Amino acid sequence: LKLCQAVVGLLGRFLVDLVLFFFSRSQILKGWRAAALIGLENPFRPTVNTLSKQLSSEFTDIMNEIWANEAVKSAVLISSKPGSFIAGADLDMIEACKTSQEVAQLSQEGQKMLEKIEQSPKPVVAAISGSCLGGGLELAIACHYRIATKEKKTVLATPEVLLGLLPGAGGTQRLPKMVGLPAAFDIMLTGRNIRADRAKKMGLVDQLVDPLGPGVKSPEARTIEYLEEVAIDFARGLANRTVSAKRSKGLMQKLTDYAMAVPFVRQQVYKTVENKVRKQTKGLYPAPLKIIETVKAGLDQGHDAGYLAESQNFGQLAVTKESKALLGLYRGQVYCKKNKFGTPQQEVKTLAVLGAGLMGAGIAQVSVDKGLKTILKDTAQQGLDRGQQQVFKGLNSKVKKKSLTSFERDSILSNLTGQLDYKGFEKADMVIEAVFEDINIKHKVLKEVEAVIPAHCVFASNTSALPISQIAAVSKRPEKVIGMHYFSPVDRMQLLEIITTDKTSQDTAASAVAVGLKQGKIVIVVKDGPGFYTTRCLGPMLAEVVRVLQEGTDPKKIDAISTAFGFPVGAATLIDEVGVDVATHVAEDLGKAFGERFGGGSIELFKLMVEKGFLGRKAGKGFYIYQEGVKNRSVNSGMDEILARFKLPAKPEVCTDEDIQMRLVTRFVNEAAMCLQEGILSSPVEGDIGAVFGLGFPPCLGGPFRYVDSYGAKQLVDKLRKYEAVYGSQFTPCQLLLDYANNPSKKFHQ
Amino acid sequence: PTLLLTYVPKENNFPRSFFKLAGSLVNITSLLAVQPKSKKTLTKSGVKNIVVVEGVRIPFLQSGTSYADLMPHDLARAALQGLLNRTSVPREVVDYIVYGTVIQEVKTSNVAREAALGAGFSDKTPAHTVTMACISSNQAMTTGVGMIAAGQCDVVVAGGVELMSDVPIRHSRKMRKTMLTLNRAKTLGQKLSLLSKIRPDYFAPELPAVAEFSTSETMGHSADRLAAAFAVSRLEQDEYALRSHTLAKKAQDGGLLLDVVPFKVPGKDTVTKDNGIRPSSMEQMGKLKPAFVKPYGTVTAANSSFLTDGASAVLLMSEEKALAMGYKPKAYLRDFVYVSQDPKDQLLLGPTYATPKVLEKAGLTMADIDVFEFHEAFAGQILANLKAMDSDWFAQNYMGRKSKVGAPPLEKFNTWGGSLSLGHPFAATGCRLVMTTAHSLKKEGGQYGLVAACAAGGLPKCVLGP
């Protein structure tokens, strides 16, 4: 039930696979003596509005034909598109609806269609290979029997919650009956991917089919054929009653079911789940609560009430601004998973990473497990050992979670070479340096590397603030130099910010984006400048955090205020995570570049913290005290003295909780808008994606630009003016925001 | 691997054996050649001719029967003594002994040496043990061939042994660690504190699995997937298994299994014949439930080879030495090749890969081969291999060949039964295949025989010979 995390973390991972169609074109493929096969053909994208009607009538026709034909005793639903059973509903269709009633109508049509299958007198078997998401899963659980291939690409999930929706075609009603209440909540509230073998254990599928190797056909083709053969066997068995669709439930499940039948126990479960959701979402996401409410309606008030609640709530959720924001993020991700620079001339097969620190080792880890030959180079054995251990640990944790076998881990690790010298660099197609953030060191390694790498090799710099053009200044071939700004921890943060200078060639950019995408990253490409995009937006916000601290708000309170706004990590904790020394460094650099606008809190406060060794999490002390194994960290009392020393008088007119939130957020948003105005950003989409996936901007707001759209540019400018009156030019709205404020019809996202 | 055997010809200019190990995952195919009528000569200049003088095996028994209380080296001893008795080869002539085994008895890790000493071989004869899953004795034989070809030895005894009635079951890792630390504990206090850390889960034993280490998939499961990949039906598999049992019964009744030597088991009666041959009916076989892929798989207990105890041994010599000692060799070991492939999806496809390779190496075609002996791990595996060999698509997409090599004709294929019916004591099977080929070539008047087997890890092999 880690919803916030789920939204930020999982949205990327599986929604990308979410192909946009509802029920794809169906037709009877083969008339069988005992079983009819319904093939789910490749998705087509029919014109919106007619989709539901057209397809449901087509589907109904087929079902009618199956029922009417005496020769047909049962049916198999199988997709003829490899890799996808049904990946979900057509989002365009939902987005095109103007009112919640229209969406509710769509939901009701889906419900009816699936009910028809459920009530079919002839058994229907779903044969699942590939993604079975959202509406696809709802269709599968309406069938009488489910058989899935045990492949990595076969995943079942209800990702609706991540789009601020709920399963709207009977899913909220069927899932609790099928897998039990607690598991159903888990599936629907997290939206997480469930692999086939896990699905079998949960009772979500009835049989598994192992993927096959080569025979006299390709493995993929034969596996689908085999799935079909097995499914037909079971369909026949169900029709002549040699196979029973009833699952034998385990003792645990029987006990759970028994307990859940008691209304009092059920109420307790609702309450617990609801409290958890409220705690984690801070009430910012309406979908999870609606899911609970809908499930409750079905279980407590019966079938009709449940289905009615489902369609009504689905309709209501679809028009919320949270859902629109999440949908926007989903679309943005799809956009940022494409390489707009095209295919690079030379594919990167060998990658060298300089510096085996947290970042370097993280980059190596996400590279080796995608099959890139990776050289990890450091200058000291100790550092190298630590880095190699980090990669091992990262992969081994997957073995512990059983998403990887120990053999796969070992064979992945064979792609990694740890070394202290430049041996093998003559074969590198790309070098990513992740050495200490000091321009002189960066220059030194650039020169060393250029002496040993081949002509086509790209040199990428992983830096969070040093301008790339400055690094490239000493390069013999600046067209091959680019910035690749990864976020820590690299294996978990999905964003990669790529920075091009005026001299960076298109092919170099194409190469960097290709590597980023291969590493599984969501990639935004921005122009060079101090702090690029992400660090630059964070700068003014952190300066404001320091001012708020100086005004006497304690770190715990700041964290509470910022997480209440929707940030996954509190603002004070964020500084500890980033590292106070790094923050100081960046703040100074950016302060020099942008002057007064980046002022606010006193940088001396940071400097004193560094002096005292309060560097943040890595040092065990920052605003908080960090101890291994201790979850509830306490405030660092050593900070009291420092905070007292830099104390400023609070201004009561701008110090309510809401004002503090707005002071932080408006500075962030204003700077983001300025990046777009200056051309650092090429589109608001990338700005939103970068802010949410790199900096934890509240996903429910959809990113700074969508936030301006929904909050209103004028209202935002008014707020900025209010704070400007108190604090001065740090809050002066940029021209772009003023333009949007003056013209209410102007929106960043149409 | 596949072995190629040729029958012993009169003239002395036959080709040399040659071998090549392709990677660590291997199947072996060997080529055996017999007697003249020789259209072609396979002799290679500068390389010695290597011959199989004789080979024997003790009866292969279902595990848990008469051999149940013995140890592996006891079975190996019986086979070695049987070989000595049959050939009357003077013990001191034997230069070297190589034995194969798969599941190792920890007390006799060099089972070759323990068995040789117990069988009355000279204690001056060195011995070593090899392991390569189901082709361990093929590996033992080709090791011997290599030693003779390299001029190291003239006379080598090779063989293999497997005792599935008893396998090493270990304490858990945690328990072993505690026990080892306990050895080093000095004071009573230290000992007690160690003992106090033992938890119930420490007592859970570790069983040896018949699973691939790399994929954690059991052999039977892999065979079921392989059968499905080649669309081999349950009916075809049961029919093939029935054929194997029927042919084995015929060969046993007809006294064709000449390599079997009787074994007087201590405390029990003399064992004289294999006890796993049980021709049944299609109806009875059809009643069995799938053993691995439940409930819809096709591999059952009846169409798989069963757990078997047994041992075998062959006497290899350079041709000169054999002739000088007055032996009439049973076959030439002409050529062999080891191949390996993906251990997950092509684990049991070795014979398909190895057969065309060894034939090309020896300059022969499928039509030249008079006897085919393939190891039958599972009926589904044999049928999948036959389909793969007969598929142009497979040859082109997976073997990098222009066209298929073609499936062997069934009238020349495993005509005296196979591992499905005779049994499959892992490391002992290779010698049985070679001797069956040699005897069959002689009986049919054929010239070339081809032996192929597949092994865990994805290994097959071939022999050519007499």
Side-chain angles (χ1 to χ4, degrees), chain A residues 1-11 14 158-165 185-192 273-292 322 326 566 568 699-700:
Chain A
L1 290 176
K2 295 183 177 169
L3 196 86
C4 271
Q5 252 184 337
V7 173
V8 185
L10 296 182
L11 196 64
F14 46 83
T158 52
E160 286 89 344
V161 71
L162 302 178
L163 296 174
L165 300 169
F185 274 139
D186 181 42
I187 295 173
M188 289 190 284
L189 293 176
T190 62
R192 68 193 167 88
V273 175
E274 208 175 306
N275 285 340
K276 258 190 179 168
V277 166
R278 280 194 197 282
K279 204 171 151 203
Q280 279 171 356
T281 61
K282 317 269 178 201
L284 296 169
Y285 297 83
L289 295 172
K290 287 281 184 197
I291 289 174
I292 299 171
E322 289 83 3
L326 292 170
C700 55

Side-chain angles (χ1 to χ4, degrees), chain A residues 91-138:
Chain A
L91 299 175
D92 289 346
M93 179 178 76
I94 297 168
E95 271 188 313
C97 293
K98 302 231 159 37
T99 63
S100 68
Q101 283 77 14
E102 271 182 65
V103 186
Q105 178 73 23
L106 276 181
S107 160
Q108 278 162 13
E109 280 162 22
Q111 288 175 348
K112 273 184 211 143
M113 197 150 91
L114 297 192
E115 196 152 33
K116 241 184 149 101
I117 296 179
E118 191 178 39
Q119 288 167 355
S120 159
K122 298 181 181 179
V124 182
V125 175
I128 305 162
S129 168
S131 38
C132 177
L133 306 177
L137 181 63
E138 290 180 287

